[in-house]
Amino acid sequence: MQNTATPTHCPYCALQCGMNLTPAPDGTVEVSERADFPVNRGALCGKGRTAPAVLSSRVRLTSPLVRSGGTLVPAGWDEALDRIAEGLSRTRAEHGPDACGVFGGGGLTNEKAYTLGKFARVVLGTSQIDYNGRFCMSSAAAGGMKAFGLDRGLPFPLEDIPKSGCVILVGSNLAETMPPSLRFFTELRENGGTLIVIDPRRTKTAEQADLHLMPRPGTDLALALGLLHLVVAEGLVDEEYVRERTAGWEDARAAAMAHWPEYVERITGVPVPQLRETVRLFCEPESAMVLTARGPEQQSKGTDTVSAWINLCLATGRAGRPFSGYGCLTGQGNGQGGREHGQKADQLPGYRKLDDPAARAHVAEVWGVDPDSLPGPGRSAYELLDALGTDIKSLLLMGSNPVVSAPHAAHIEERIKSLDFLAVCDVVLSETAALADVVLPVTQWAEETGTTTNLEGRVLLRRQAITPPDGIRSDLEVMHELADRLGVEKGFPTDPAEVFEELRRASAGGPADYSGITYRRLAEENGVFWPCPTEDTVVHPGTPRLFLDRFATPDGRARFVPVSHRAIAEEPDEEYPVLLTTGRVVAQYQSGAQTRRVDELNAAAPGPFVELHPRLAERLGAAEGDPVAVVSRRGRAVAPARITLGIRPDTVFMPFHWYGEGRANTLTNPALDPTSRMPEFKACAVRVEAVKS
């Protein structure tokens, strides 16, 4: 590659911040500001600035590894690919196609996600495919589909946020999880708007708020219903909007009226005056938004919780109007596109439903197969992982580290160890890859071209900036070679541009229609918002703002969904009297497989900790930095105490980026939302113990 700057995007969160990459004479890669991209306007967090560190051969995989005598040893590509093909073939022959599982990741490009879904269904013939994005925004997706008939993280661009009159931010610490986005909320306040943050912790984001509510973890549903009750009681419903643009209001209204303010205060711990002030601040301005993140969504009632917040927007006439509405802050870099194009257990490309005969026929024609040959919907992510070693005997895993990131992680680790065969494609030797029979080293973000879809629904072109090292292949090449070995010689190109052209055809006419998006347009227009059904930019420039004229339902009306408060799956009791909630810190990302290999980031966040209130610390006799044990019904984790007034006395917090004795997901509850199949990461019963030296 030439030593010139290549405009591209960060590999981490769903902002997909723009950056320039320039190869340096010493073989490193320099990151510089790219001010033309509107999402970050040149700003980068520490993870983005240091992202090229993982490109170094010092930390990455440089050769295929195969297990020999219990140890992973270097091998050639042909041997490694042959072993994977043999392992998958053997499983299919002995146990049938559904005994082969496929598990993907929200960091895979659209081209890879599309091809992985096609590989599972066409080559392996298995229904057993899902991805770690199920743990991200599946509850928001389910709630959005029920209400609006369409799921896109934000139905408007981030640049609309500063123009709103009020934003309620529910369960997001974006000052640490996606720092460049904080400027939009700072500008909101500078413009006279109000920021309300709902979080059981006094986070860096909450410190920026005009009003901070600290509900008990797992009570966001009751909180939203209490606010809607007050909207009705105080005569603040937009009756004309409800009449003209919605359906189902009476049932939703009746459900909300059962949640009077004093009752909600008892459930949530949020004082009634704060509830009333929230309603006043939200309803006074002409425009307002509700944005949710993992806090309310990663619950066993996450879909209902999202529905309750959407109901609040609908009752006040906010959704589908300028600078207003409900949105979800997607977490993973391609969490949006990753599920739109076939990694999710029940979906086909273009966000089509796998059990829809018309959808199956359309995609099957693009793929050149019989629609009847496509398997039906499979297990969701946790259920798939839980079935490893029993119903599912072999697993192909790409871009995920469930040994750290899955709930009830010690159990999932044992399930993975019980497999007959495990193959992992990754850029580093993650904790999950270390358990594999074969590990394949694959190209990284800066070494390949491909598209991602950010939290706004903006499809972006990530450009190759450097040549990958010798011996490294792309995931597309891996799937091409495996398909060939498994008897499918055509249909799995290695050129991402060719894959994207097929993806365009497969998505055409679907809810997430990319058919009018081309690599040329992405380069020239700095991204294109889906849906975009034609290449003619005059006829259809893309859709930055959804629902302004109608919602994506058959009659164009949004749907209220009646919901009621219910307890979390595991309430505290005498044995486990405290609530655990989990989350991220600014210097690490997801399971930490990559960021924990960057010296600068490790210096800023070297390991796990337990955040607890001084009253709880005093009862334990624990001082700052003392090791404490957090124990749930699923296991025990130990980490240093971090004592702060910024957390509720009945709650402790742990970040989930680490393996070992401080692994937070050893503790978390895999209880699933009945609709989204989201596990309850955000609330489980624990006890906290001092660790005696």
Side-chain angles (χ1 to χ4, degrees):
M1 304 294 292
Q2 295 181 342
N3 289 351
T4 55
T6 300
T8 189
H9 296 272
C10 178
Y12 290 119
C13 83
L15 290 180
Q16 290 294 279
C17 291
M19 59 170 60
N20 290 315
L21 296 182
T22 305
D26 63 358
T28 60
V29 179
E30 296 176 354
V31 174
S32 59
E33 179 178 303
R34 183 182 162 198
D36 69 312
F37 188 59
V39 170
N40 64 308
R41 306 177 204 162
L44 293 169
C45 72
K47 294 186 291 292
R49 285 189 296 100
T50 61
V54 187
L55 298 169
S56 168
S57 58
R58 182 177 66 86
V59 299
R60 72 181 302 168
L61 292 166
T62 57
S63 168
L65 304 174
V66 300
R67 192 163 296 280
S68 176
T71 303
L72 286 172
V73 298
W77 272 94
D78 283 339
E79 179 186 355
L81 290 165
D82 286 346
R83 284 208 190 188
I84 297 174
E86 289 165 6
L88 296 173
S89 294
R90 185 169 57 251
T91 295
R92 284 197 303 170
E94 294 178 2
H95 304 285
D98 272 358
C100 293
V102 177
F103 200 83
L108 300 182
T109 63
N110 289 317
E111 291 81 358
K112 294 178 185 179
Y114 170 84
T115 303
L116 188 61
K118 181 180 180 182
F119 180 88
R121 295 174 175 111
V122 172
V123 178
L124 297 179
T126 182
S127 66
Q128 300 304 303
I129 175 172
D130 212 82
Y131 82 128
N132 62 16
R134 175 78 68 168
F135 301 154
C136 179
M137 55 179 290
S138 58
S139 294
M145 289 296 293
K146 286 185 176 185
F148 308 131
L150 188 69
D151 154 43
R152 196 179 84 185
L154 295 181
F156 40 72
L158 285 163
E159 64 190 37
D160 282 5
I161 290 171
K163 302 170 187 174
S164 188
C166 177
V167 174
I168 299 179
L169 189 60
V170 191
S172 171
N173 183 16
L174 54 80
E176 295 203 60
T177 59
M178 45 180 65
S181 70
L182 188 61
R183 67 172 57 194
F184 294 103
F185 298 87
T186 301
E187 291 171 11
L188 164 77
R189 299 182 70 207
E190 291 172 349
N191 292 342
T194 303
L195 176 61
I196 301 170
V197 171
I198 297 172
D199 198 301
R201 303 168 59 224
R202 182 73 176 173
T203 63
K204 291 181 180 179
T205 306
E207 290 172 357
Q208 308 299 314
D210 297 284
L211 179 62
H212 175 207
L213 312 185
M214 296 180 70
R216 184 173 178 265
T219 63
D220 307 272
L221 173 54
L223 180 59
L225 288 163
L227 296 176
L228 183 53
H229 176 110
L230 285 170
V231 165
V232 175
E234 296 180 13
L236 297 173
V237 175
D238 187 333
E239 301 285 358
E240 182 181 0
Y241 174 94
V242 168
R243 184 171 57 254
E244 293 182 355
R245 297 204 62 188
T246 73
W249 167 232
E250 289 305 320
D251 287 343
R253 178 186 182 279
M257 296 314 288
H259 299 78
W260 60 94
E262 292 76 15
Y263 173 56
V264 170
E265 179 179 317
R266 289 200 302 273
I267 294 169
T268 65
V270 176
V272 171
Q274 287 192 351
L275 299 175
R276 295 187 183 279
E277 179 68 358
T278 299
V279 168
R280 183 186 72 80
L281 293 172
F282 186 69
C283 291
E284 274 187 355
E286 186 175 330
S287 58
M289 299 175 176
V290 172
L291 305 178
T292 67
R294 305 303 79 73
E297 298 164 16
Q298 287 182 325
Q299 298 182 26
S300 60
K301 51 187 172 179
T303 302
D304 284 358
T305 302
V306 167
S307 293
W309 287 107
I310 292 175
N311 288 347
L312 179 67
C313 290
L314 294 176
T316 53
R318 305 306 195 181
R321 283 180 168 171
F323 316 125
S324 291
Y326 166 79
C328 164
L329 299 172
T330 310
Q332 293 190 79
N334 198 31
Q336 181 74 47
R339 70 180 178 283
E340 291 170 2
H341 298 300
Q343 283 190 102
K344 196 161 169 276
D346 58 350
Q347 286 177 194
L348 287 169
Y351 219 128
R352 288 181 159 91
K353 299 297 290 182
L354 187 54
D355 56 5
D356 176 1
R360 293 169 66 88
H362 174 86
V363 174
E365 183 178 5
V366 174
W367 288 352
V369 299
D370 184 338
D372 292 337
S373 71
L374 298 177
R379 293 175 171 89
S380 71
Y382 181 80
E383 292 165 303
L384 189 158
L385 295 171
D386 188 43
L388 300 181
T390 53
D391 293 340
I392 299 173
K393 304 295 185 180
S394 293
L395 181 69
L396 174 64
L397 185 146
M398 286 186 173
S400 186
N401 189 17
V403 163
V404 177
S405 62
H408 199 0
H411 169 70
I412 295 305
E413 184 173 359
E414 289 306 310
R415 300 288 2 116
I416 289 173
K417 289 178 179 177
S418 72
L419 282 164
D420 291 348
F421 182 79
L422 171 64
V424 173
C425 299
D426 211 330
V427 300
V428 296
L429 190 66
S430 70
E431 287 78 9
T432 304
L435 303 177
D437 296 285
V438 180
V439 183
L440 299 181
V442 291
T443 49
Q444 298 187 52
W445 59 290
E447 301 165 346
E448 59 188 11
T449 293
T451 62
T452 61
T453 306
N454 81 345
L455 76 169
E456 307 164 296
R458 188 193 306 251
V459 185
L460 305 166
L461 183 62
R462 258 198 221 157
R463 299 168 177 88
Q464 182 180 356
I466 60 173
T467 302
D470 291 340
I472 306 295
R473 299 187 186 181
S474 73
D475 295 287
L476 294 179
E477 290 176 297
V478 169
M479 287 183 276
H480 172 87
E481 292 290 339
L482 289 177
D484 185 58
R485 284 167 168 79
L486 292 166
V488 181
E489 298 178 0
K490 296 181 180 180
F492 290 87
T494 61
D495 179 1
E498 187 176 346
V499 175
F500 191 76
E501 287 302 303
E502 184 179 305
L503 182 157
R504 292 175 61 207
R505 297 196 305 276
S507 72
D513 190 334
Y514 283 33
S515 60
I517 302 174
T518 64
Y519 274 21
R520 177 190 57 78
R521 286 192 64 179
L522 294 177
E524 292 177 354
E525 300 172 37
N526 230 343
V528 178
F529 292 86
W530 70 260
C532 184
T534 176
E535 288 185 53
D536 189 325
T537 58
V538 175
V539 174
H540 206 296
T543 314
R545 295 171 182 86
L546 296 168
F547 313 138
L548 294 180
D549 300 318
R550 69 190 311 276
F551 295 96
T553 57
D555 61 5
R557 292 173 172 264
R559 303 289 192 265
F560 282 96
V561 178
V563 292
S564 297
H565 166 71
R566 63 181 186 273
I568 59 173
E570 186 179 76
E571 288 283 355
D573 56 22
E574 289 186 7
E575 188 176 1
Y576 301 97
V578 177
L579 281 167
L580 168 71
T581 193
T582 64
R584 287 168 44 190
V585 297
V586 66
Q588 301 289 353
Y589 180 72
Q590 303 300 77
S591 76
Q594 295 182 49
T595 51
R596 285 187 276 115
R597 288 166 167 82
V598 179
D599 293 340
E600 180 180 330
L601 300 178
N602 278 334
F609 57 86
V610 180
E611 194 174 271
L612 66 162
H613 192 275
R615 267 188 260 164
L616 179 55
E618 184 179 5
R619 288 204 301 270
L620 296 173
E624 180 76 13
D626 286 353
V628 295
V630 183
V631 184
S632 77
R633 289 178 173 86
R634 289 155 294 282
R636 182 176 189 264
V638 177
R642 184 173 293 183
I643 301 170
T644 174
L645 289 166
I647 193 167
R648 292 174 54 97
D650 59 1
T651 301
V652 295
F653 166 83
M654 290 187 72
F656 59 79
H657 309 290
W658 288 273
Y659 184 63
E661 69 172 4
R663 179 174 59 184
N665 277 320
T666 296
L667 309 167
T668 47
N669 190 354
L672 300 179
D673 179 291
T675 302
S676 68
R677 315 309 287 169
M678 169 73 84
E680 192 149 64
F681 287 99
K682 289 299 182 186
C684 69
V686 299
R687 65 173 180 267
V688 187
E689 304 169 341
V691 176
K692 298 177 181 178
S693 56

